[in-house]
Amino acid sequence: MKKTTAAITAVGGYLPDFVLSNKVLETMVDTNDEWITTRTGIKERRILKEENAGTSFMAIKAAEDLLKKRGVDASEIDMVLVATATPDMPVAATAAFVASEIGATNAFAYDLQAACSSFLYGMSTAASYIESGRYKKILLIGADKMSSIIDYTDRTTCIIFGDGAGAVLFEPNDEGLGLQDEYLRSDGIGRQFLKIDAGGSIMPASEETVKNKQHYVFQDGKSVFKFAVSNMADVSALIMERNNLSKDDVQWLAPHQANKRIIDATANRMGLEPEKVLMNIERYGNTTSATLPLLLYDFEKQLKKGDNIIFAAFGGGFTWGSIYLKWAYNS
């Protein structure tokens, strides 16, 4: 009997209209286009400006785009998983609202949070549910409204992040395509280097925490960069070695879009030419949980059935890992 694998069969995406360029940031904080570009590779990012619109707004748009393209009725979806670091609100799952809004009336839904690794971990989760045989169609959405947790007077973080959402559909495959292997890791040492201090159970929201700007992202850039460079490169090389893949066997690297220098270091460690690296950081910045699905959304037409893709991510916590996937269709 052939083993059932979990394959991506459709992709959708959504990006807000408002473009926050480096030139605009120059008028907001003490920075400049050359400094940002040389250190991060980012030229612009998208910001969600719609009134009373949160992460779910973008997640719904990305899901609807996917369902329309694939010709799938939302009632066929068994499960909706939203990978996000910026849920609409605490307690009430954003995924449950998204599922209801798109008409996925037969699905159960929940959120998954592992910072910038959220979508990568979500791929593992969705694939496991498919491989179990219990579910046939799982909608995995990566969405983040990072502008809601960024201090736009802090030049160390406001230059990096943007808003966006991407979605993929996982379905069973009997051709040996889809998710082949994964190597996922975490280390709680990272908690002190990338975090939001207030708003959780340790430090609930108060007048003081708001005044002290403790509800915004804090990042120790040098420490995060050092950990990200070594760990993302290590797991990407390891998953190639574990599956006897040479650089010629890998068609694409789909890396988390946090910093171009981290992406380049990962590709160099894998021995991959620049043309094999999927990259859109210049236009969107770091959209956290949305970076990986937005890569697939942007480059879908270039992906061919049977292509070997290595996904890699690194996020707060620390969380990181790599996934080896065989692409399942020609766009």
Side-chain angles (χ1 to χ4, degrees):
M1 237 176 91
K2 277 188 178 178
K3 184 194 169 193
T4 297
T5 52
I8 292 173
T9 59
V11 179
Y14 173 79
L15 290 150
D17 294 328
F18 183 84
V19 177
L20 178 59
S21 67
N22 290 348
K23 290 293 182 187
V24 174
L25 278 173
E26 286 178 6
T27 68
M28 298 165 62
V29 289
D30 182 17
T31 191
N32 61 70
D33 174 64
E34 185 193 7
W35 193 93
I36 297 170
T37 305
T38 54
R39 282 161 180 77
T40 68
I42 302 167
K43 284 284 189 185
E44 56 189 41
R45 62 290 290 146
R46 302 294 185 92
I47 305 295
L48 183 65
K49 291 283 192 178
E50 276 78 355
E51 203 173 336
N52 300 319
T55 293
S56 64
F57 176 87
M58 298 183 292
I60 289 163
K61 294 278 191 186
E64 289 174 342
D65 178 56
L66 180 151
L67 295 170
K68 185 179 177 184
K69 279 163 63 178
R70 182 79 169 89
V72 171
D73 191 282
S75 63
E76 297 175 47
I77 303 295
D78 299 311
M79 173 185 174
V80 176
L81 186 61
V82 173
T84 185
T86 56
D88 282 2
M89 56 184 71
V91 184
T94 300
F97 180 70
V98 171
S100 295
E101 289 297 297
I102 65 173
T105 52
N106 295 309
F108 73 104
Y110 64 90
D111 298 350
L112 191 154
Q113 207 281 76
C116 292
S117 303
S118 297
F119 190 84
L120 190 81
Y121 283 23
M123 289 175 69
S124 169
T125 304
S128 298
Y129 276 112
I130 293 290
E131 288 166 8
S132 75
R134 291 194 187 121
Y135 307 101
K136 302 296 182 190
K137 286 181 169 62
I138 295 178
L139 183 62
L140 170 63
I141 305 166
D144 269 305
K145 185 182 176 181
M146 292 304 293
S147 62
S148 67
I149 55 171
I150 296 300
D151 176 5
Y152 284 93
T153 65
D154 174 14
R155 67 176 184 171
T156 62
T157 55
C158 74
I159 65 168
I160 298 167
F161 296 97
D163 303 338
V168 301
L169 183 66
F170 272 96
E171 296 186 85
N173 184 278
D174 59 6
E175 299 176 272
L177 303 171
L179 199 146
Q180 306 294 307
D181 194 16
E182 62 181 49
Y183 188 74
L184 308 177
R185 313 299 298 160
S186 62
D187 187 344
I189 192 176
R191 183 172 174 153
Q192 62 185 304
F193 301 117
L194 180 51
K195 60 181 176 175
I196 293 176
D197 279 320
S201 58
I202 292 176
M203 192 185 295
S206 67
E207 188 178 338
E208 189 180 355
T209 62
V210 172
K211 195 185 297 179
N212 293 337
K213 297 186 173 184
Q214 289 173 287
H215 295 269
Y216 292 125
V217 169
F218 163 81
Q219 177 171 282
D220 177 344
K222 286 182 180 176
S223 297
V224 173
F225 181 84
K226 184 180 75 175
F227 276 97
V229 165
S230 59
N231 287 317
M232 230 169 95
D234 284 351
V235 291
S236 302
L238 183 145
I239 208 154
M240 284 176 65
E241 185 183 332
R242 202 158 79 171
N243 290 278
N244 299 312
L245 297 171
S246 71
K247 65 183 182 68
D248 297 325
D249 297 321
V250 177
Q251 278 71 48
W252 306 103
L253 167 65
H256 171 53
Q257 307 288 293
N259 184 299
K260 189 177 182 295
R261 291 186 292 169
I262 298 172
I263 295 168
D264 290 344
T266 302
N268 289 338
R269 180 73 181 278
M270 298 167 71
L272 298 182
E273 303 86 349
E275 54 268 25
K276 287 188 171 185
V277 182
L278 304 181
M279 207 172 336
N280 56 17
I281 190 172
E282 183 179 337
R283 288 177 291 134
Y284 307 146
N286 181 353
T287 56
T288 306
S289 308
T291 65
L292 296 183
L294 282 175
L295 283 177
L296 299 179
Y297 177 67
D298 276 359
F299 293 95
E300 184 183 15
K301 287 184 170 62
Q302 294 181 40
L303 308 179
K304 300 284 186 287
K305 186 175 180 178
D307 277 359
N308 290 321
I309 306 174
I310 303 296
F311 291 84
F314 183 90
F318 287 129
T319 60
W320 72 96
S322 184
I323 282 178
Y324 164 34
L325 178 136
K326 279 185 177 290
W327 196 246
Y329 64 95
N330 294 315
S331 174

